[in-house]
Amino acid sequence: MNKANILLIYTGGTIGMITDYDTGALKAFNFEELLEHVPELKLLDHHIQTVSFAHPIDSSDMRPCHYDQMVELIEKNYAYYDGFVILHGSDTMAYTASALSFMLENLTKPVILTGSQLPIGDLRTDAKENLITAIQIAGWQRAGEPVIKEVGLYFEYKLYRGNRCTKINSENFEAFTSPNLPPLIVSGVTLKINQEALRGVFRQGQFSVRKHLNGNVVILRLFPGIQETTVKAILNIENLEGVILETYGTGNASTQSWFIQSLKEAIASGIYVVNVSQCLGGSVMMGRYETSTELKSIGVISGKDLTVEAAVTKMMYLLCCNLPAAVFKRRFETAIRGEMG
Ligand code: ASP
C-alpha cells in the first residue's frame, strides 16, 4: 500500500466513551485520550491527521446540522487528503452514512464511517480492529486510484456500502447488516473486494456538496389496526413535504377507502409518499398484489429495496434539489449512489 493522507474525524459514540463514576453511564471523552489507546496507529503506513467535534456526541443526538459539519470538514479538506474516516456512534451511523452518500456529490475518495460496541479503552474492545482496518481501507490505493470511492461503513470485518446498511443488533459485535447488497470488502487474512458490489454509484462532474437537508419528512410505519385519526394526523402535519410509508412485504397496505383517500389527498397537496417495506430483505413491487395496486395508481413512489435510513435521507436530500414532481419521482426510483437495486 502507498502512504496515504487520512483525515480522521471524531464525532463521538461509544468508541471514545468512558464510564462516568457518579452515574455509571457511558459518556464521551477527550479525543487525544482516545488516540493514546491505539498506539498501533503509529505503525500504520499512512499520514493521519485528526479533527474532533468541539462537543463529541452520542449518535442519538445526531441531526442534519451535524451532517453539515462533517460535510464541511470533508469539503474543506478534500484536496489535501486521500481518504476520510469518521468515528461515529453506531446507533444512527447508518442514517449518517446514507445522508453523507447523498450530500457528497460525485465523490471519488473514500469516506469510511466506523465506531464500536465497546469503548476503545475496554480490554475486549472491538474498536481497535474497526478503526485500524477502516483507516487501511481509506488509504488503500491501486495504480494511484483509491479502491473505494464512496461512503462506506466498516464494522466487524466488513465494509458495507453506507446507504445499504442498517443496525440490527445492540449487543453483538456484528451490529450491522446490508440486506440487499453484499459487503464491498470482507476483512480476513487479506482484504477481499467484491468488484460486482462496487458498481452502481453514479458520478457526473466535479465533487460538490449539498448541505441543509430538508427535515420536513416523517416515517409512517403501518400496523394492522392503525387508526384513521392517526394516519390523518400524521399526513396533516404542518409543512410536511415527504412521507416514508413503511408497508408490508412487497409494498402492500390496507385497501380501506379512508386510507387510500388520505394518501391521495396528501399526494394531491404536493407531499411525496415513498413506499418502503418493513421487511429487511427484498424489494417493493407495487402492483404485484391487489393491496399495492392502488398505491401505485395514486402516485406513491416505489422505494424498491431501500433501507429506511436511505429512504429518509434520500427524501431529505432530494427535497433540497428543487426538482419538478415527475423528475423527483424518477430520481427517487433510480439509484443515484448505488442505494437501490
Ligand atoms: N449510543 C452510542 C452511540 O450511538 C452507541 C454506539 O456508539 O455504539 O453514540
Side-chain angles (χ1 to χ4, degrees):
M1 285 188 191
N2 293 332
K3 242 182 170 47
N5 290 318
I6 305 295
L7 184 63
L8 183 60
I9 302 170
Y10 177 52
T11 70
T14 299
I15 193 163
M17 289 184 179
I18 46 161
T19 308
D20 184 301
Y21 289 112
D22 297 330
T23 64
L26 285 171
K27 61 172 193 190
F29 78 118
N30 186 295
F31 189 45
E32 303 309 320
E33 286 181 61
L34 183 151
L35 292 176
E36 274 169 31
H37 282 282
V38 207
E40 293 89 341
L41 286 181
K42 297 197 182 78
L43 302 176
L44 278 177
D45 205 12
H46 296 314
H47 300 293
I48 304 166
Q49 300 282 328
T50 57
V51 55
S52 171
F53 271 17
H55 303 286
I57 54 172
D58 185 297
S59 76
S60 308
D61 270 325
M62 202 53 79
R63 284 176 284 126
C65 61
H66 299 109
Y67 302 160
D68 287 347
Q69 269 180 262
M70 290 176 238
V71 161
E72 273 162 22
L73 277 171
I74 292 170
E75 183 183 28
K76 209 169 72 191
N77 292 289
Y78 195 72
Y80 310 111
Y81 291 89
D82 300 297
F84 301 84
V85 173
I86 301 179
L87 298 181
H88 193 289
S90 64
D91 287 348
T92 66
M93 197 189 291
Y95 287 92
T96 302
S98 299
L100 296 188
S101 78
F102 298 117
M103 297 167 82
L104 301 168
E105 299 172 340
N106 300 312
L107 183 68
T108 53
K109 295 188 178 186
V111 174
I112 314 293
L113 285 95
T114 194
S116 63
Q117 292 284 59
L118 284 175
I120 208 150
D122 194 293
L123 207 52
R124 293 179 53 251
T125 191
D126 52 331
K128 287 191 182 187
E129 199 287 320
N130 286 346
L131 174 57
I132 289 167
T133 309
I135 291 174
Q136 281 196 317
I137 290 173
W140 194 5
Q141 302 195 349
R142 274 180 172 170
E145 284 273 304
V147 171
I148 299 297
K149 300 174 185 171
E150 58 178 284
V151 178
L153 186 156
Y154 185 79
F155 224 88
E156 193 62 6
Y157 302 107
K158 294 191 181 97
L159 178 77
Y160 304 102
R161 174 160 293 154
N163 54 32
R164 285 287 199 150
C165 51
T166 191
K167 185 172 179 183
I168 46 149
N169 203 302
S170 58
E171 222 175 283
N172 291 354
F173 288 143
E174 184 139 13
F176 288 87
T177 190
S178 169
N180 292 310
L181 186 78
L184 305 178
I185 293 180
V186 176
S187 164
V189 174
T190 58
L191 296 176
K192 281 215 167 60
I193 312 172
N194 182 339
Q195 290 294 352
E196 189 66 31
L198 281 177
R199 298 205 180 124
V201 182
F202 180 75
R203 290 181 199 91
Q204 193 183 47
Q206 290 293 309
F207 169 73
S208 59
V209 305
R210 192 171 292 271
K211 286 179 258 181
H212 315 308
L213 294 187
N214 186 326
N216 293 327
V217 304
V218 74
I219 298 174
L220 171 51
R221 185 178 170 97
L222 301 182
F223 58 90
I226 190 168
Q227 299 286 303
E228 181 173 350
T229 44
T230 308
V231 171
K232 288 199 163 140
I234 291 174
L235 295 178
N236 283 299
I237 293 170
E238 213 184 324
N239 299 325
L240 184 65
E241 292 179 62
V243 179
I244 305 302
L245 187 67
E246 275 197 72
T247 59
Y248 314 119
T250 52
N252 308 313
S254 167
T255 52
Q256 285 175 282
S257 56
W258 66 261
F259 178 70
I260 299 294
Q261 192 52 33
S262 309
L263 287 178
K264 209 171 165 178
E265 282 165 19
I267 293 168
S269 75
I271 295 173
Y272 294 109
V273 179
V274 171
N275 187 350
V276 294
S277 176
Q278 293 177 16
C279 295
L280 207 53
S283 182
V284 160
M285 286 181 268
M286 284 194 289
R288 182 175 163 94
Y289 288 88
E290 256 182 6
T291 43
S292 63
T293 306
E294 268 202 279
L295 297 180
K296 188 176 183 178
S297 68
I298 63 172
V300 170
I301 297 169
S302 176
K304 299 189 179 171
D305 60 354
L306 283 178
T307 60
V308 172
E309 293 90 333
V312 74
T313 52
K314 186 172 186 179
M315 177 70 90
M316 289 173 154
Y317 165 76
L318 287 181
L319 284 173
C320 302
C321 297
N322 291 323
L323 302 169
V327 180
F328 185 100
K329 183 171 189 295
R330 205 167 48 240
R331 196 74 55 93
F332 216 113
E333 292 182 338
T334 311
I336 53 177
R337 307 280 194 275
E339 73 280 13
M340 51 170 48

